[in-house]
Amino acid sequence: QVQLGESGGGLVQAGGSLRLSCAASGRTASSYAMGWFRQAPGKEREFVARISWSGASIDYADSVKGRFTISRDNAKNTVYLQMNSLKPEDTAVYYCAATFIRSMNVPDYRHWGQGTQVTVSS
């Protein structure tokens, strides 16, 4: 079992940056592959980025490639999402999630954080 908690959200102007953090607790926290997802009002939750337990395998949604960077520090049981060149369409609640497989699909992630709001103003 792993517990997840996101932080770092907030209000930023278009073109700005934010860094989200996801702290994981539990004995096997560093064994999980981790993903970031987001959900805007009235829309389905969508994949943003994922990273394997070792950090060697990373995937991004096309909409964030070149702007967002996912990373992890297993010594701190923390996963990060550095978000640069933010756009109003990036506005959403951002969730981190954990899984044991390589996946970009919401149903494959068993453990979720509570989410953190990111609002990008134009």
Side-chain angles (χ1 to χ4, degrees), residues 2-111:
V2 63
Q3 291 78 43
L4 305 174
E6 304 93 336
S7 62
L11 174 63
V12 64
Q13 289 188 333
S17 298
L18 283 174
R19 188 176 82 154
L20 305 183
S21 298
C22 173
S25 61
R27 287 189 304 167
T28 60
S30 62
S31 301
Y32 285 84
M34 299 295 294
W36 284 98
F37 293 78
R38 66 188 182 186
Q39 188 167 17
K43 294 188 176 181
E44 293 187 352
R45 193 167 298 187
E46 65 175 7
F47 169 76
V48 175
R50 62 155 295 277
I51 186 168
S52 63
W53 70 270
S54 67
S57 173
I58 290 176
D59 293 295
Y60 295 99
D62 288 343
S63 59
V64 307
K65 277 181 184 176
R67 301 188 298 122
F68 291 11
T69 302
I70 189 171
S71 61
R72 69 188 297 162
D73 184 341
N74 285 342
K76 297 181 179 180
N77 282 344
T78 302
V79 178
Y80 304 98
L81 185 68
Q82 178 67 45
M83 305 186 295
N84 299 329
S85 302
L86 283 161
K87 305 175 181 180
E89 52 262 45
D90 294 317
T91 295
V93 177
Y94 283 70
Y95 299 89
C96 67
T99 182
F100 279 125
I101 64 174
R102 179 177 183 177
S103 174
M104 293 176 276
N105 299 319
V106 170
D108 292 329
Y109 286 77
R110 295 183 59 189
H111 306 286

